[in-house]
């Protein structure tokens, strides 16, 4: 009896592994394929949008070192703005903890790089990419905009935007090297599965609020 139970458990675990792997592969393939024509590496070919959505991340890693995802996104925003491909920037990120403020850190860095303060709007309730995109529509009134992050992140964000009937393009900031980005890339695989779960359960953002006019 014990041998039969062990065999049943073994086959169940194998089946679960196969199903999980298949789900991850399928979700990643759909998002990558669907987003292909909407992500850009060249500032000269990306269409103009009034507003760029800068997706937040921390300025420093837990080790205290600079987070190159952060600084590469800043560089990408400056490149877009200087090329007159965006006129305003919404920075959407996490401000849920004391002494942790992604939007403000990014704003300060953009100002250092010469972006006028009156061109920058802060979204402190962008706790998830999904929330940031819904809030661009519901709070900031933008149906068409440019998303700025690394390519793997842009593809997921663009896919979500298309599902929400928003006209979004993604401008790819420089990635980080494979060693430093490994954990992030693994998390991204499962974040893409979560996208479809959010769609299935009609997930709502944590906060909305009063509309903010960009002009």
């Amino acid at each position: 009896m014990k041998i039969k139970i062990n065999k049943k458990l073994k086959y169940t675990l194998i089946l679960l592994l196969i199903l999980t792997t298949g789900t991850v592969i399928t979700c990643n393939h759909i998002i990558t394929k669907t987003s292909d024509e909407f992500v850009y590496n060249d500032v000269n070919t990306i269409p103009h949008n009034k507003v760029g959505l800068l997706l937040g991340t921390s300025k420093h890693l837990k080790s205290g070192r600079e987070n190159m995802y952060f600084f590469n996104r800043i560089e990408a925003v400056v490149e877009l703005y200087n090329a007159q491909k965006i006129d305003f920037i919404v920075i959407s990120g996490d401000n849920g903890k004391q002494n942790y403020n992604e939007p403000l850190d990014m704003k300060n860095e953009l100002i250092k790089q010469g972006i006028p303060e009156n061109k920058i709007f802060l979204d402190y309730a962008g706790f998830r990419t999904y929330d940031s995109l819904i809030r661009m529509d519901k709070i900031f009134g933008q149906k068409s905009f440019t998303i700025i992050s690394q390519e793997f992140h842009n593809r997921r964000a663009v896919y979500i935007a298309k599902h929400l009937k928003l006209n979004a393009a993604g401008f790819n900031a420089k990635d980080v090297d494979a060693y430093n980005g490994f954990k992030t890339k693994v998390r991204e695989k499962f974040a893409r599965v979560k996208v479809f779960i959010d769609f299935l359960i009609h997930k709502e953002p944590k906060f909305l609020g009063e509309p903010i006019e960009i002009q």
Side-chain angles (χ1 to χ4, degrees), residues 44 115 137 141 150:
N44 295 309
I115 305 296
D137 178 19
Q150 276 68 31

Side-chain angles (χ1 to χ4, degrees), residues 94-122:
D94 190 349
N95 181 35
K97 302 175 189 174
Q98 191 174 7
N99 300 321
Y100 185 81
N101 194 325
E102 291 175 355
L104 186 57
D105 285 345
M106 287 186 141
K107 175 185 177 180
N108 290 338
E109 197 62 37
L110 286 174
I111 291 172
K112 285 182 186 177
Q113 299 297 323
I115 305 296
E117 186 173 4
N118 66 350
K119 300 292 184 179
I120 303 171
F121 294 78
L122 301 184

Side-chain angles (χ1 to χ4, degrees), residues 35 37-40 46-47 49 53 133 143-147 154 157-162 165-171:
S35 61
E37 62 181 295
F38 304 108
V39 292
Y40 296 81
I46 192 169
N49 271 311
L53 170 62
L133 292 164
K143 299 287 187 183
S144 179
F145 49 90
T146 298
I147 302 165
N154 278 340
V158 164
Y159 186 82
I160 295 170
K162 298 301 178 185
K165 310 300 183 190
L166 301 174
N167 181 24
F171 184 62

Side-chain angles (χ1 to χ4, degrees), residues 51 56 170-171 192:
V51 180
F171 184 62
R192 292 183 178 189

Side-chain angles (χ1 to χ4, degrees), residues 56-157:
T57 189
S58 58
K59 187 173 183 178
H60 295 96
L61 303 173
K62 290 181 180 180
S63 64
R65 291 186 297 125
E66 290 185 341
N67 179 5
M68 292 313 299
Y69 285 118
F70 176 101
F71 289 98
N72 290 347
R73 290 180 199 181
I74 295 295
E75 182 181 312
V77 172
V78 173
E79 186 178 4
L80 281 172
Y81 183 82
N82 287 341
Q84 299 182 336
K85 291 303 180 93
I86 54 173
D87 307 314
F88 297 91
I89 301 109
V90 171
I91 307 172
S92 185
D94 190 349
N95 181 35
K97 302 175 189 174
Q98 191 174 7
N99 300 321
Y100 185 81
N101 194 325
E102 291 175 355
L104 186 57
D105 285 345
M106 287 186 141
K107 175 185 177 180
N108 290 338
E109 197 62 37
L110 286 174
I111 291 172
K112 285 182 186 177
Q113 299 297 323
I115 305 296
E117 186 173 4
N118 66 350
K119 300 292 184 179
I120 303 171
F121 294 78
L122 301 184
D123 175 15
Y124 293 111
F127 299 110
R128 303 168 62 234
T129 302
Y130 191 84
D131 290 28
S132 297
L133 292 164
I134 292 178
R135 289 175 59 78
M136 276 295 283
D137 178 19
K138 303 298 184 184
I139 303 300
F140 295 95
Q142 302 303 308
K143 299 287 187 183
S144 179
F145 49 90
T146 298
I147 302 165
I148 303 103
S149 187
Q150 276 68 31
E151 181 177 353
F152 66 86
H153 193 188
N154 278 340
R155 287 183 177 276
R156 172 162 53 96

Side-chain angles (χ1 to χ4, degrees), residues 5-71:
I5 293 174
N6 287 340
K7 281 187 176 180
K8 187 175 181 180
L9 178 60
K10 179 182 176 181
Y11 291 137
T12 300
L13 291 174
I14 290 172
L15 180 60
L16 285 173
L17 179 61
I18 292 171
L19 288 173
T20 300
T21 302
T23 300
V24 171
I25 291 172
T26 300
C27 292
N28 277 268
H29 175 74
I30 291 171
I31 288 176
T32 298
K33 191 70 175 175
T34 306
S35 61
D36 263 345
E37 62 181 295
F38 304 108
V39 292
Y40 296 81
N41 293 303
D42 185 355
V43 73
N44 295 309
T45 59
I46 192 169
H48 171 272
N49 271 311
K50 176 182 175 182
V51 180
L53 170 62
L54 173 56
L55 296 175
T57 189
S58 58
K59 187 173 183 178
H60 295 96
L61 303 173
K62 290 181 180 180
S63 64
R65 291 186 297 125
E66 290 185 341
N67 179 5
M68 292 313 299
Y69 285 118
F70 176 101
F71 289 98

